[in-house]
Amino acid sequence: MVETGHDAVDNDLGPETVRLRGVRRSFAGRAVLDGVNLSVRKGEFVALLGPSGTGKTTLLRILAALDRADAGEVAVAAARSVVFQEPRLVPALKVWRNVVLGHPRTAASRQLASTALAEVGLASHADAWPRTLSGGEAQRVALARALVQEPDLLLLDEPFAALDALTRLRMQGLVHELVRRHSPGVVLVTHDIDEALALADRVVVLNGGRVRLDQHVGSPRPRARTDRHIELLRQRLLAELGVATDAAPI
């Protein structure tokens, strides 16, 4: 049985950018996704947690149209962008051209790239080559490239996993600010419970190919780990993921 912590629908949120009903996906006869239901509205930030191999990345690939479902209903906003764990920049193109990849090489495209790079704090790196960037800088370029499309849905596949702890915290703050400004629906795949609790409006736990928990976070931002509600929710998520805790459930 799926547990849910939804409040009533927030009228400040836009229309659905994701609607999955009964989605199934199997590989070699093994069901990786086994009847997944999920909705994400424009302006809503959803984090997906779960053990390795439980279907998080498969689900995100279906949302990105990089894979298909074997069964079920999949309705996803047409305007969507993906940021992967690796920045996936084109080495032979300067930073600004990576940001507007696929756009014509015009003055308007250059201005669009400049605006996007300024948003992520890299205005001075427009003419740099990708090989000269740090890991955090390269991931900021990837974010600029995703957001320059003005997507209704932003898909993030562990985009901070390869970064050092301090850079990771800075990137989390940047993502929060960019999402606040642009208001896409967001689906973040992560293994980091604290990251999920810091960024997401809802946390969804996938396990055994099914949604086991869909919990509204509720606390205002910025969120402190010392906040009693956040700590109790953290303990509940750990328990749902199979990590024994002594804390009482919410």
Side-chain angles (χ1 to χ4, degrees):
M1 179 178 178
V2 175
E3 295 184 70
T4 178
H6 287 310
D7 294 338
V9 172
D10 188 337
N11 291 326
D12 291 335
L13 297 175
E16 285 184 334
T17 60
V18 170
R19 180 180 174 83
L20 305 181
R21 293 293 180 267
V23 168
R24 299 179 184 276
R25 183 70 170 107
S26 298
F27 295 97
R30 184 176 75 88
V32 176
L33 299 176
D34 188 17
V36 170
N37 299 325
L38 180 68
S39 296
V40 181
R41 296 171 68 85
K42 195 171 190 299
E44 187 175 30
F45 198 127
V46 175
L48 289 180
L49 289 171
S52 296
T54 199
K56 300 186 303 299
T57 294
T58 298
L59 180 56
L60 186 129
R61 286 178 58 82
I62 290 172
L63 296 178
L66 299 173
D67 199 354
R68 57 171 181 79
D70 295 324
E73 174 191 347
V74 179
V76 184
R80 54 197 158 186
S81 296
V82 189
V83 179
F84 297 97
Q85 183 174 334
E86 310 82 17
R88 302 192 180 188
L89 304 183
V90 180
L93 297 180
K94 288 186 176 181
V95 162
W96 79 266
R97 293 197 60 200
N98 268 280
V99 170
V100 289
L101 196 64
H103 292 239
R105 189 173 180 178
T106 63
S109 292
R110 174 71 189 234
Q111 182 56 51
L112 186 63
S114 296
T115 300
L117 286 168
E119 270 203 296
V120 299
L122 291 176
S124 63
H125 289 63
D127 288 310
W129 297 100
R131 67 177 179 273
T132 68
L133 303 177
S134 68
E137 288 169 342
Q139 203 62 309
R140 280 191 272 166
V141 174
L143 272 172
R145 181 175 59 193
L147 290 170
V148 82
Q149 307 298 329
E150 290 295 335
D152 292 322
L153 177 64
L154 177 63
L155 303 168
L156 304 173
D157 190 7
E158 299 193 73
F160 318 128
L163 304 177
D164 65 81
L166 184 56
T167 303
R168 185 172 185 141
L169 287 172
R170 288 172 176 160
M171 287 294 294
Q172 289 171 5
L174 176 62
V175 165
H176 169 66
E177 178 58 25
L178 291 173
V179 168
R180 187 189 64 79
R181 279 187 223 156
H182 292 266
S183 295
V186 182
V187 178
L188 166 70
V189 169
T190 181
H191 283 93
D192 188 329
I193 290 176
D194 292 325
E195 180 170 276
L197 290 174
L199 293 174
D201 302 306
R202 283 164 49 211
V203 179
V204 174
V205 176
L206 279 178
N207 207 341
R210 297 187 178 188
V211 175
R212 304 296 181 180
L213 180 70
D214 188 339
Q215 175 69 48
H216 193 272
V217 177
S219 294
R221 298 178 180 87
R223 295 169 181 158
R225 278 194 58 178
T226 53
D227 180 281
R228 179 63 175 163
H229 173 75
I230 292 297
E231 178 55 26
L232 287 173
L233 182 51
R234 183 176 184 274
Q235 295 299 325
R236 183 180 185 184
L237 292 170
L238 285 168
E240 194 65 42
L241 293 167
V243 179
T245 68
D246 296 326
I250 296 173

